[in-house]
Amino acid sequence: MSTSIRKVKTTDLELKDRLVSIQRVTKVTKGGRTFSFSAIVVVGDENGIVGYGLGKANEVTTAIAKGVEDAKKNLIRVPVLKGTIPHVQYAKFGGASVFLKPASSGTGVKAGGAMRAVLESVGIHDVLAKSKGSSNPHNLVKATFNALLELRDAYTVAQHRGVDLNKVFNG
């Protein structure tokens, strides 16, 4: 499914932001070292809408604010069924690989750092997740977003195939 269909406008949404990671970056010049900060931020309404952004600035608070603004420009809609995801999904970005698996009610979010922030911002309450390869938070967030973008619920599959909803489940 193309990502253009899943884009969401920010109007009338109550978005909560979560800081995934913050790095101090050093630029060495002939005058000495210049420090700046880069922040990865995830925003979501905990009801199926989520976005991520990267902010860079000379101060931490400014970097986070820029990250939030960037995240609000990249919002997507994710299918959430009964607090979990519709099916198993694997995705990759750079060196980071992500595996998401639906879980029964009461399991909780079993996921590591950067993935946990994204999944909780979406509003997923029960999921089993594993990250393999690189643990770089930039790539982990992007890999998790790739996995969430590939998720499709049964209604969408039926509509895409042009068949009845019962035919999707029963063949």
Side-chain angles (χ1 to χ4, degrees), residues 15-122:
L15 298 171
K16 297 178 185 170
D17 54 289
R18 291 175 194 256
L19 182 65
V20 176
S21 92
I22 191 153
Q23 282 99 15
R24 189 178 78 169
V25 183
T26 309
K27 182 171 100 175
V28 180
T29 60
K30 66 178 184 179
R33 295 187 184 105
T34 307
F35 298 110
S36 63
F37 297 90
S38 77
I40 309 168
V41 182
V42 175
V43 298
D45 70 343
E46 296 181 356
N47 198 16
I49 294 173
V50 70
Y52 75 93
L54 175 65
K56 298 177 181 179
N58 290 332
E59 283 127 29
V60 176
T61 52
T62 316
I64 293 170
K66 284 183 178 181
V68 169
E69 287 304 310
D70 189 32
K72 287 179 180 176
K73 294 175 187 171
N74 301 320
L75 292 176
I76 59 166
R77 187 178 303 280
V78 177
V80 179
L81 301 175
K82 298 177 188 168
T84 189
I85 57 177
H87 55 83
V88 173
Q89 190 61 54
Y90 176 83
K92 193 172 172 153
F93 186 90
S97 303
V98 169
F99 177 73
L100 300 174
K101 187 176 178 181
S104 58
S105 182
T107 304
V109 178
K110 305 289 184 203
M115 288 175 63
R116 174 179 289 274
V118 176
L119 295 171
E120 287 177 347
S121 293
V122 174

